[in-house]
Amino acid sequence: MPGRIGIVGAGYVGLPLAQVFAEAGQQVVLIDVSPQKIASVERGESYIADVPSENLKRLVDAGSIGITSDYDALKEVEAILIALQTPLSAQREPDLSIVLGAVHDIAPRLQKGQLVVLESTTYPGTTREQLQPVLEASGLRVGDDFHLAFSPERVDPGREDWTTKNTPKVVGGITPACTERAVELYRRALETVHPVSSPEAAELTKLLENIFRSVNIALVNELAQLCDRMKIDVWEVIGAAATKPFGFMSFQPGPGLGGHCMPIDPFYLTWKAREYDFYTEFIELAGKVNENMPYWCLGKVTRALNAHERALKGSKVLVLGVAYKSDIDDTRESPALKLIELLQEEGADVSYHDPYVGELPEQGLSSAPLDISGADCVVIVTAHSGIDYEAIVAQAPLVVDLRNATGANGTENGKVWKL
Ligand SMILES: NC(=O)c1ccc[n+]([C@@H]2O[C@H](COP(=O)([O-])OP(=O)(O)OC[C@H]3O[C@@H](n4cnc5c(N)ncnc54)[C@H](O)[C@@H]3O)[C@@H](O)[C@H]2O)c1
């Protein structure tokens, strides 16, 4: 049992975490409900870009990483790390059903001496108010019989300088002993662990990080809209402001927020704050500005086509990049999907090209070859590297560049319309 760690959820967070612990000499058993993921890990084939298949295969072959759907495997581990999805419901309220379903499955298997850590992003109070009572229904008491903590994952998929291993890890336990235990566990595999006084502090830390980004992106998105009206190049302004060596941090405007975290997590806090008669107005305002961006970008495409004496309806629009950010294959909550939907609703003939995303099954589209010849307008929604944007500008009759990928001067230079 010592040196054996269970990770529930073998996704974007769970699989890299398994790799890091296994490489530090721990034995990891992953628990997942997806037969495809189980089969894939068993073959040593990775489906997460940050975990190279050759690493995974080596660790699986050496017996350092195993995977199963059977929660009974958790009876044999010293620590259980939960890395499951925390989405919003259709009414945009926290949906903890996946996490709590798993905790209900863990409780009857909980062993004396085990450590349980929730890694999923959630509102302050989740670990104490939601997990602790379910786990204590086992008859074991937190602090005495088992340890419970929260430690947010900070992985930035596709990033190479800051990885799961060297990104500092914040940890807050229900009792000081819970914190100490969790800190000791993570220190075995991660370079820096930062303890805080409670799970609530750790839960809110993660939300602050995401809210900080969301609010700052909303600020530059709003500024981009004003700059469009004033015919000022917002990218030039942000680049110039970024030359200030202190007191400024640069954020880029764009077609909207994407990914599993940014469009979702801030609203976990908004929901919880209502319990305290508190309205998180910055979060709401940022959400409003960011959610409006695909609609605003639709207007920009329409205006650009109009300037070329074309209606959006019937125009051939090639969307370049549909992943939610550059150089990854993840399309969750990608603003490109919303923009495609809006373009299609207006009668545009939409195709897309993305070297990382072969299919968009819900849109009934597959990635088309990068052939500009037939397009009336190319819309750069996600700027993957490795694409020759100069050649695109040279060949296309009209380019709407929502990421400043072309580096064109000004906001509208006839052919290139920049956000
Ligand atoms: N993806 C990121 O970049 C990122 C970064 C930081 C934090 N987070 C947070 O981490 C959490 C997990 O996110 P993710 O992106 O890894 O999700 P994910 O969807 O990639 O992974 C979740 C995994 O859990 C599995 N699963 C679902 N129900 C299960 C169950 N009952 N038992 C066992 N396995 C089950 C799924 O099959 C999937 O493999 C979320 O709260 C997210 O907000 C994600």
Side-chain angles (χ1 to χ4, degrees), residues 7-16 31-35 37 47-48 68-69 71 82-87 97-99 101-102 105 119-122 152-157 206 210 259-261 264-265 268 324 330 332:
I7 298 179
V8 184
Y12 284 90
V13 169
L15 199 62
I31 310 280
D32 207 287
V33 289
S34 155
K37 285 187 176 157
Y47 42 83
I48 303 284
T68 174
S69 61
Y71 273 69
I82 303 169
L84 294 168
Q85 308 97 307
T86 43
S97 59
I98 297 173
V99 167
D105 286 336
E119 294 236 357
S120 308
T121 308
T122 185
E153 182 49 62
R154 286 167 153 172
V155 65
D156 183 9
K206 172 71 189 180
N210 284 350
H260 181 291
C261 295
I264 294 170
D265 301 346
Y268 266 68
Y324 82 80
D330 194 346
R332 290 181 295 175

Side-chain angles (χ1 to χ4, degrees), residues 20-337:
V20 161
F21 272 109
E23 284 179 342
Q26 309 293 299
Q27 263 215 330
V28 179
V29 58
L30 286 155
I31 310 280
D32 207 287
V33 289
S34 155
Q36 292 82 4
K37 285 187 176 157
I38 292 176
S40 183
V41 172
E42 280 171 345
R43 288 194 302 270
E45 278 170 23
S46 177
Y47 42 83
I48 303 284
D50 295 339
V51 179
S53 287
E54 71 227 44
N55 274 18
L56 184 62
K57 183 146 180 38
R58 180 173 44 78
L59 295 166
V60 169
D61 288 350
S64 305
I65 293 182
I67 187 162
T68 174
S69 61
D70 185 358
Y71 273 69
D72 279 348
L74 297 177
K75 290 180 183 166
E76 307 297 326
V77 302
E78 63 164 311
I80 301 169
L81 313 182
I82 303 169
L84 294 168
Q85 308 97 307
T86 43
L88 289 174
S89 69
Q91 292 72 37
R92 301 193 71 71
E93 292 187 347
D95 176 2
L96 289 177
S97 59
I98 297 173
V99 167
L100 293 180
V103 175
H104 275 278
D105 286 336
I106 293 167
R109 297 165 171 95
L110 192 65
Q111 305 291 310
K112 227 175 161 161
Q114 282 184 327
L115 164 70
V116 179
V117 186
L118 179 62
E119 294 236 357
S120 308
T121 308
T122 185
Y123 59 79
T126 305
T127 309
R128 194 186 303 273
E129 295 162 12
Q130 303 288 333
L131 270 66
Q132 186 180 336
V134 178
L135 293 171
E136 287 193 330
S138 64
L140 300 177
R141 288 281 149 269
V142 73
D144 297 328
D145 303 318
F146 73 99
H147 293 114
L148 177 60
F150 181 83
S151 179
E153 182 49 62
R154 286 167 153 172
V155 65
D156 183 9
R159 204 178 178 114
E160 287 174 5
D161 49 353
W162 292 105
T163 60
T164 303
K165 187 176 170 62
N166 68 358
T167 304
K169 192 100 168 94
V170 172
V171 175
I174 297 276
T175 67
C178 293
T179 307
E180 244 173 70
R181 179 83 194 282
V183 167
E184 187 280 317
L185 180 93
Y186 286 111
R187 281 209 175 124
R188 290 183 209 167
L190 309 182
E191 287 176 13
T192 312
V193 183
H194 179 84
V196 292
S197 65
S198 64
E200 289 77 11
E203 288 159 338
L204 189 53
T205 300
K206 172 71 189 180
L207 293 181
L208 169 62
E209 292 162 13
N210 284 350
I211 292 162
F212 173 80
R213 282 185 58 71
S214 168
V215 167
N216 279 288
I217 291 168
L219 175 67
V220 287
N221 277 339
E222 188 182 71
L223 195 66
Q225 295 175 50
L226 174 63
C227 281
D228 179 79
R229 234 175 253 189
M230 296 177 78
K231 306 264 182 280
I232 298 171
D233 185 339
V234 70
W235 306 91
E236 184 187 3
V237 173
I238 293 169
T243 61
K244 187 180 177 189
F246 49 86
F248 183 79
M249 190 180 279
S250 133
F251 286 83
Q252 311 296 311
L257 297 183
H260 181 291
C261 295
M262 299 279 290
I264 294 170
D265 301 346
F267 295 100
Y268 266 68
L269 189 60
T270 299
W271 177 85
K272 187 66 179 174
R274 278 189 223 122
E275 203 178 300
Y276 296 83
D277 299 331
F278 196 94
Y279 292 85
T280 53
E281 293 182 46
F282 273 98
I283 297 175
E284 295 282 10
L285 179 59
K288 197 170 139 190
V289 172
N290 291 330
E291 275 170 36
N292 188 51
M293 284 313 288
Y295 294 88
W296 192 84
C297 293
L298 173 75
K300 184 105 188 175
V301 176
T302 309
R303 281 191 286 133
L305 279 164
N306 188 48
H308 282 236
E309 292 172 10
R310 294 205 66 106
L312 179 54
K313 187 169 183 177
S315 283
K316 289 191 165 50
V317 177
L318 175 67
V319 169
L320 206 48
V322 295
Y324 82 80
K325 64 174 192 169
S326 53
D327 300 335
I328 64 163
D329 61 2
D330 194 346
T331 58
R332 290 181 295 175
E333 310 278 330
S334 174
L337 307 183

